[in-house]
Amino acid sequence: MNEFDFPAWLRVTHLLNFFLIGLLLRSGWQIIATHPRFYWRNDCGPGTEWIKFTKRVVPPEEGAYTAHDDELEPPSWLTLPGGRNPGLGRHWHGLATVLWILNGLVYVSLLFLTGEWRRIVPTSWSIFPEAWESLKIYVGFGIPSIEHFTPYDALQQLGYFTVVFIAAPLMIATGPTMSPAFIGRFPWYPKLFGGRQAARSIHFLGMAFLSLFIVVHVALVFITHREYNVTHMVFGEYDPARVAQATTIIISTIVLVVVAWLAISYLSIRDRRGSQKFLYGALEPFRRVTLNRLKPRMHRASVYTEKDISPYHWTNGRYPAPDESPEWHELAAHDFRDYELEIGPADNPVRVPFDRLKALPQQEQIVLHACMQGWTGVAKWKGPRVMDVMNLVGPPPADAKFLVVTSFGLAQSMSDGRPLEPFYSVIPIEDCREEDSIFAWMMNDKPLPWTFGAPLRLRVESYVGYKMVKYIRSLEWVTDYSTIGDGMGGTREDSGYQVINARI
Ligand SMILES: Nc1nc2c(c(=O)[nH]1)N[C@H]1C(S)=C(S)[C@@H](COP(=O)(O)O)O[C@H]1N2
Ligand SMILES: [Mo]
C-alpha cells in the first residue's frame, strides 16, 4: 500500500516506549498522589486549585493541616511503587525519564537518518482537510479505506506527529521546572511556562493527553485494518497468513509488560532500602553530568518580589508537641529570648545565644520553596548566612565534609518502627557555602512563626524542601554520616527513602 516498511529498530523502540511510558505514567501518578491538587499560581492556596483528586478540605489556617496529612495512599497495582512512597516514586520517575529520553532519541534519529520521518511528519497542508475527512468517518464509526493509510491515515498521522514532536517535547521541557536543582541554577526558567505550578499543570495536561492517546491508539490498531497493523508491528510486513499469530504475540507481549510493571511495584515496596540504593546508584551517573554540575545562583532574589509572596504557605512538620520537647515549649513561652544554638559535638557543644545570631550580617531573600510533593510557596526569609554562623565557633575542621542540622521536633516515622528520633538533615559543606544558604529567624518581616520553624530554620534554596530543617536545636560538622540515623543523610532519606544526599 505504500513504500514504508516497519524496520526492526522501529518495532523495538516502539515496544520499549510502551514499557517506559507505563513506568512514567505510574510513577507520575504516585507523585500526584502526594499532592493531588493542581494550580496555576505558585501559592497553592486552598481553593485555588483548578482540579483536585481528593475530597479533603484544607483549613485556611497555615499549619493546621500539613501537606503530609494531605497525601493519598494509592494501591500498588495503579502507581509505582504504590502506598505512601513519594520518594521511590520520584526515583522511578527519574530513571524512567532518562531511559525514555534515550529511547526517544534513538527513535527520532533513526527516523530522520532512514528517511522514515515522512511516515509521521506531514509534508503538505492537505493533511488538515484529509484529517477532517478521516475524523468524519471515525465519528460515524467507519474506517477510512486502506489506500488512505500511508502508512497511517491523515488523522492518525497528525496524532502521531503531535505526540512525538509536540507533546513529548513539552513533557521534557516542563519536567525540569519540578527540579529544585535546575530552577536553582535557572530561576527564570519556570516563568517561561507561567510559573512553577503552571508548568506542573501543563505537565499534568500533557500526561492526560498522552494517556488518552494511548487508549485510542491501541483501540484503533485493533479496529482499523487490524490484519495490516498487527503483522506490521510484529513481523515488519503485511502477511495475511500470520494475522492470528501476530495478534497472539501482541497480546502476550502486553500481558508480559503489565506483569513487569506490577512486579516492579511490588518488588520496590518489598525492599524499599534496596530500591532506594539501586535507583540512586543507577541515576547518579546521569546526575553527575547534569544536575550535579549546576551551580546555583544568587540572583534568585531578583526573580520573586514582594507581590509574589504567598498569602497561604503550605507546611510540613509540626512544631514539637509539649511532651516531645518540653525544652522547646519553655523557650517558646519566653518568645525564644533564651534560645541558644548548640554548635559542635553533642556532649560538649558551644552555646551561641540568639542575640549573637541576630547581630551577624543579615541576608534577606524572596524565594520559591518547592516541596518534593509538588506544592510551592513564595516567602521572604531573613537571617545570617550558614558559614557566618559556623565561623562564630571557628573555621570548620580540616576534615569537615558535612553539616548535621538537628531539630527539636521529631520525625513523623522511623524506617524500622523504633521510637521517633529528632528530625535531622545532612548538608554537604559546599552547599553550606552557597550565597543564599541561611539560617532564617524572620519570615515575611516577622519573627519566624511557630509553624514555620521557630526560632530558627535552614534555607538552602537549591534544595527540595525536606532538607530545610525547622526548629533547629544543634549543628555539627562531620566527616561521614553513615553512623547517623540509618546513615542515608537525613530523616526523609532514612525513613522516606528519598534521594540520598543529591540535588534533584
Ligand atoms: N523539624 C522539621 N523540619 C522540617 C520538616 C519536618 O517534618 N520537621 N519537614 C520538611 C519538609 S518535607 C518541608 S517541605 C519543609 C516545609 O517547610 P514549611 O513548613 O516552612 O513550608 O520543612 C522541612 N523541614
Ligand atoms: Mo517536603
Side-chain angles (χ1 to χ4, degrees), residues 159-318:
Y160 300 159
F161 177 80
T162 309
V163 164
V164 177
F165 294 103
I166 297 175
L170 196 63
M171 294 308 268
I172 297 170
T174 46
T177 64
M178 278 159 277
S179 151
F182 190 87
I183 57 180
R185 174 64 181 80
F186 305 106
W188 47 266
Y189 184 72
K191 296 225 160 179
L192 297 182
F193 304 95
R196 162 73 167 65
Q197 290 301 330
R200 180 170 172 263
S201 287
I202 296 171
H203 203 73
F204 167 80
L205 288 170
M207 179 282 291
F209 170 76
L210 288 177
S211 305
L212 181 73
F213 169 82
I214 292 167
V215 172
V216 174
H217 172 65
V218 173
L220 285 185
V221 164
F222 288 100
I223 295 169
T224 64
H225 307 293
R226 180 170 67 94
E227 62 287 11
Y228 285 89
N229 301 331
V230 295
T231 50
H232 274 141
M233 268 170 82
V234 178
F235 304 116
E237 62 193 9
Y238 175 51
D239 182 351
R242 288 191 289 176
V243 173
Q245 197 188 344
T247 309
T248 314
I249 291 177
I250 290 176
I251 291 176
S252 13
T253 309
I254 293 179
V255 170
L256 269 180
V257 169
V258 171
V259 168
W261 287 339
L262 297 181
I264 291 174
S265 271
Y266 286 99
L267 292 174
S268 304
I269 295 264
R270 218 173 59 180
D271 181 6
R272 297 193 283 178
R273 182 71 73 218
S275 312
Q276 176 191 29
K277 289 185 177 164
F278 163 76
L279 291 164
Y280 169 73
L283 276 169
E284 194 52 13
F286 298 100
R287 264 195 300 267
R288 212 168 284 147
V289 294
T290 55
L291 295 181
N292 293 0
R293 288 180 174 230
L294 300 178
K295 285 269 162 284
R297 288 197 169 170
M298 182 44 214
H299 65 212
R300 248 161 265 147
S302 63
V303 174
Y304 297 97
T305 61
E306 301 270 344
K307 68 174 185 353
D308 299 313
I309 292 176
S310 305
Y312 175 94
H313 197 293
W314 277 88
T315 55
N316 253 336
R318 289 203 164 81

Side-chain angles (χ1 to χ4, degrees), residues 57 114 131 280 323 355 368 395 403:
V57 177
T114 58
Y280 169 73
D323 60 328
D355 285 339
L368 178 84
L403 183 65

Side-chain angles (χ1 to χ4, degrees), residues 1-2 25 27 43 49 107 162 173 199 220 303 319 326 332 360 363 372 423 448 501:
M1 68 183 159
N2 64 82
L25 288 174
S27 54
D43 305 334
E49 306 91 345
Y107 164 75
T162 309
L220 285 185
V303 174
Y319 57 83
L360 286 170
Q363 181 162 305
M372 49 75 66
F423 190 96
L448 209 51
N501 229 332

Side-chain angles (χ1 to χ4, degrees), residues 372-447:
M372 49 75 66
Q373 289 181 286
W375 57 269
T376 50
V378 179
K380 177 156 74 171
W381 306 95
K382 183 173 157 184
R385 289 181 53 186
V386 169
M387 287 315 279
D388 289 349
V389 170
M390 296 313 290
N391 287 335
L392 285 176
V393 301
D399 59 355
K401 286 213 179 86
F402 304 97
L403 183 65
V404 184
V405 185
T406 310
S407 176
F408 284 105
L410 300 182
Q412 285 85 1
S413 62
M414 303 305 287
S415 59
D416 56 1
R418 63 184 189 271
L420 300 182
E421 291 168 11
F423 190 96
Y424 79 100
S425 192
V426 170
I427 314 290
I429 187 166
E430 59 274 18
D431 301 337
C432 295
R433 294 202 168 103
E434 271 173 30
E435 258 187 275
D436 44 18
S437 295
I438 64 171
F439 289 115
W441 59 278
M442 296 273 281
M443 179 192 187
N444 299 335
D445 304 316
K446 288 194 209 62

Side-chain angles (χ1 to χ4, degrees), residues 67 315-316 369-375 464-467 492 498:
T315 55
N316 253 336
H369 177 99
C371 171
M372 49 75 66
Q373 289 181 286
W375 57 269
V464 278
Y466 63 76
K467 298 295 279 182
R492 292 276 188 260
Q498 307 284 8

Side-chain angles (χ1 to χ4, degrees), residues 32 66 105-106 120 173 200 234 329 331 358 365 415 448 469:
I32 292 173
T66 66
L105 286 176
V106 170
I120 59 168
R200 180 170 172 263
V234 178
H329 278 272
L331 293 166
K358 296 179 186 171
Q365 54 212 32
S415 59
L448 209 51
V469 180

